[in-house]
Amino acid sequence: PVVGWECTYAHEKLNVVLTVYVDDFKMAGPRDNLAKGWALLRQAIQFEDPTEVGLYLGCQQRMHDVVHFGGHYRVMEYNMQPFLEQCVKKYCDTPGSIPLKNAATPFYSGEREGNPPEKSVGPGGFDPNARELPNNFAEKPPAGLVSPEERGVMSKPAASIVMKIMYAARMGRFDLLRPVQGLARCISKWTCTNDLELHRLVCYINSSKTKRMCGWVGDPIKDIHAVQFSDSDYAGCVETKRSTTGGMSVLKGEHTSFPITAVSKRQSVTSTSTTEAELTAAQFNMQRSGMAIISIWGDIV
């Protein structure tokens, strides 16, 4: 067992690593040793013949080789498109959802002077940048406007939609972590403004579902190091003035950049300075993933 990394195992002699999730087994290491690793498992467990990496925990993974600038790189591509299409469909099939449009960013910023309205790609015609919101978002909204702070029409189904998107964000679309984290904390106090924020996020997902997260390795394992990136904003939450912690764990080398995990989490207290917010972020990231990455990489290398 690898200390600090649940359900992960390393074989020192074969130099292979195995992860186990319920009935999904995934092994990595020198190609010549993989067959020996599977043979050891088959002494105690019956399972079908191993295949190349593919669909794993809802993410379509693909490995391929690239020759670039004279160097040889092994690339892993994480494809969440089918899962994200399910997220979009879940939103669109929910009563009260707004017709989708093209969106280059995932954040709803409200009305901004001088910004032209974005072109709608579906029926309805509701302007998502309007300051006043209709009291529901069906194709034929009734007359009458309500405050953006009143209960949103997506308040009941929002939790299942947001949680489904959150899985995609954690698995292979780290760019979605910040907006979905901001919505997750509003589940119990969902407003009309949150309706628009969720709509904007789903529009962005629908517009960017073909994007892939990729990692590549072009160095010997002895030249690759575990790196923890940490950052925070300062007083970024407009309601509480609390900061948000961001972090990303990566394997780095001169010709290697491989993402491991990422996080976005609002801090639990209000910081008194940028320095305090940054230190809080660094401490959280090291405790949550930094030490675990160091542990598993030490066992492998």
Side-chain angles (χ1 to χ4, degrees), residues 41-213:
L41 286 175
R42 278 187 156 154
Q43 294 178 9
I45 305 174
Q46 294 182 0
F47 50 83
E48 60 190 13
D49 292 337
T51 63
E52 290 293 324
V53 64
L55 183 64
Y56 184 70
L57 303 183
C59 179
Q60 189 68 41
Q61 302 177 16
R62 184 174 72 95
M63 294 182 65
H64 56 278
D65 296 316
V66 173
V67 177
H68 190 59
F69 293 124
H72 178 266
Y73 297 85
R74 191 71 165 157
V75 179
M76 174 71 84
E77 179 183 293
Y78 296 87
N79 177 9
M80 292 300 297
Q81 182 173 348
F83 188 88
L84 289 172
E85 289 174 345
Q86 295 177 22
C87 296
V88 173
K89 185 177 186 302
K90 187 177 184 67
Y91 172 82
C92 293
D93 290 345
T94 301
S97 62
I98 312 173
L100 301 183
K101 60 179 182 178
N102 294 317
T105 62
F107 296 100
Y108 169 73
S109 57
E111 183 181 15
R112 289 187 176 180
E113 185 176 357
N115 284 359
E118 297 181 69
K119 184 178 180 181
S120 173
V121 295
F126 171 67
D127 179 8
N129 293 316
R131 187 178 296 276
E132 293 183 303
L133 315 177
N135 54 16
N136 72 42
F137 302 116
E139 291 187 16
K140 297 181 180 179
L145 300 176
V146 298
S147 167
E149 298 308 314
E150 290 196 20
R151 193 71 173 170
V153 297
M154 302 291 286
S155 57
K156 291 184 178 181
S160 61
I161 298 173
V162 170
M163 292 304 105
K164 190 174 183 69
I165 296 174
M166 182 174 287
Y167 179 80
R170 294 177 61 187
M171 190 69 186
R173 281 292 300 269
F174 294 166
D175 57 318
L176 301 177
L177 282 172
R178 178 64 186 90
V180 77
Q181 174 265 344
L183 284 172
R185 67 181 180 84
C186 298
I187 294 298
S188 61
K189 51 180 180 179
W190 196 268
T191 68
C192 290
T193 299
N194 297 136
D195 281 339
L196 293 185
E197 291 173 340
L198 177 60
H199 170 251
R200 176 71 183 208
L201 175 57
V202 175
C203 287
Y204 172 73
I205 291 173
N206 190 54
S207 300
S208 64
K209 58 189 177 184
T210 59
K211 291 185 180 296
R212 309 282 187 266
M213 184 174 76

Side-chain angles (χ1 to χ4, degrees), residues 211-229:
K211 291 185 180 296
R212 309 282 187 266
M213 184 174 76
C214 295
W216 59 90
V217 177
D219 298 296
I221 193 170
K222 64 182 180 64
D223 295 330
I224 301 174
H225 307 281
V227 178
Q228 178 69 46
F229 293 98

